[in-house]
Amino acid sequence: MTSKRKKNLARPILSFVDALARAKPRPADNAIRKYKKNYAERLSNALAVLIAGKLRVTRQFEGVLPDEEGHGRESRSASGALKKAKKTDVRYATSETGLELLVSIKTLNFRDAKRDKKTKKVVLGRYTKNMVRNDHELRAEAMDHHDRFPYAVLVGLFFLPVEACDDGQNDKSSFAHAVMTLRPRAGRTEPTDHPAKFERLFIGLYRVGGDQPDVGLFDVNTAPPRRGRPPWHDEVTDEARGGRLLCLDEVVAEIIREYGIRNRTYIRWADEVPNEGVPAVVVTADEDAEEDEESDGAV
């Protein structure tokens, strides 16, 4: 069987477990940098297919990339005054309006590995290496795209192993450090706000092996625990531990809400239960147009 045929038989990416499976093999924390870098790229690509698929099934984002088979991964979008084409992870754009929604995916999958100068052995540390670099990359991405498309909604998803919550015995955990680093990058509520910010930014804490592989996501604008793990998305909320992680479908619902608010196609009703699921669009552009026509003809 040809490699192309094998690729076509790969199971679709419909869940986080599928994304982890597609990214295999997962190297050890002390593996050489090349293998860890390749794994990060495979995982990011699989997650992009997963997120795009969840947006696509809502039927509100026709043509979102990448498609089910991964075509359109790292598609390019014009950015900045010079229209420089930048690679994107998940992108929804139209020929009439240009970029409307972008989801940027970053991962930090392995503990920091350093070689002890005396013993020459590799010592594993925390999950903090390159955190600032990731923030700088997000800043540049937001700046370039918002500069050209100020109405575009940008959402960042930063994935960390859940073990990042367990270190920092006398200080904040690597997870808490990630929240502090990335929080200034989130919270853009208006098209006139600073372009270097994302509308929303979540940290995805994921687990592999042992327990059932899964992911829970944390809004960086929420107060995190200094140390320890927030309650999982199927556990009782505990404000002292950071509330409760969101499941992936709840985050997709938040993305759709943010997009709807920006485009005036969604309003949060007083009796709506937060994170109840993927919301329906309550006002459409066609309905607005019909109302305008009726008003024009009124006497």
Side-chain angles (χ1 to χ4, degrees), residues 29 82 86 91 133 142 146 184 186 188 229 242:
D29 283 323
L82 300 177
K86 280 188 169 291
R91 179 171 65 92
R133 186 199 70 187
H146 276 146
R188 188 174 184 267
R229 305 182 182 189

Side-chain angles (χ1 to χ4, degrees), residues 122-295:
V122 174
V123 179
L124 297 177
R126 307 176 68 197
Y127 294 87
T128 56
K129 187 176 181 180
N130 296 327
M131 186 67 69
V132 173
R133 186 199 70 187
N134 278 290
D135 176 54
H136 289 173
E137 290 178 358
L138 289 169
R139 179 185 63 188
E141 190 170 0
M143 178 76 79
D144 288 344
H145 284 103
H146 276 146
D147 183 44
R148 188 163 189 83
F149 302 102
Y151 281 86
V153 172
L154 269 62
V155 178
L157 301 180
F158 186 84
F159 291 87
L160 273 173
V162 71
E163 288 79 10
C165 300
D166 302 333
D167 57 15
Q169 294 181 355
N170 300 315
D171 193 9
K172 58 184 177 294
S173 67
S174 295
F175 163 63
H177 173 70
V179 175
M180 291 184 64
T181 303
L182 298 178
R183 176 175 289 176
R185 196 61 48 217
R188 188 174 184 267
T189 60
E190 299 291 340
T192 53
D193 289 346
H194 201 289
K197 287 177 174 285
F198 279 69
E199 274 65 20
R200 302 291 295 274
L201 207 158
F202 300 88
I203 294 177
L205 295 170
Y206 71 90
R207 56 193 187 195
V208 295
D211 297 326
Q212 178 67 26
D214 197 3
V215 65
L217 296 104
F218 188 87
D219 188 329
V220 298
N221 282 327
T222 303
R226 186 186 302 273
R227 289 181 293 275
R229 305 182 182 189
W232 208 251
H233 53 75
D234 56 359
E235 297 178 352
V236 177
T237 186
D238 183 350
E239 296 302 325
R241 294 170 55 202
R244 178 183 67 84
L245 295 174
L246 303 176
C247 70
L248 193 54
D249 285 339
E250 288 174 322
V251 167
V252 171
E254 288 299 310
I255 294 173
I256 294 171
R257 286 189 178 96
E258 199 69 34
Y259 175 83
I261 292 169
R262 175 60 50 80
N263 291 278
R264 296 199 299 177
T265 57
Y266 171 79
I267 184 171
R268 188 187 297 277
W269 301 116
D271 59 350
E272 180 183 349
V273 179
N275 303 320
E276 195 175 37
V278 177
V281 173
V282 297
V283 179
T284 67
D286 290 339
E287 289 172 350
D288 284 343
E290 290 175 2
E291 291 179 0
D292 290 341
E293 290 175 1
E294 291 176 0
S295 297

Side-chain angles (χ1 to χ4, degrees), residues 19 31 62 65 92 97 109 118 122 157 210 213 216 220 231 279 289 293:
E62 184 178 354
L65 294 174
Y92 171 66
T97 60
N109 305 287
K118 294 182 179 180
V122 174
L157 301 180
V220 298
E293 290 175 1

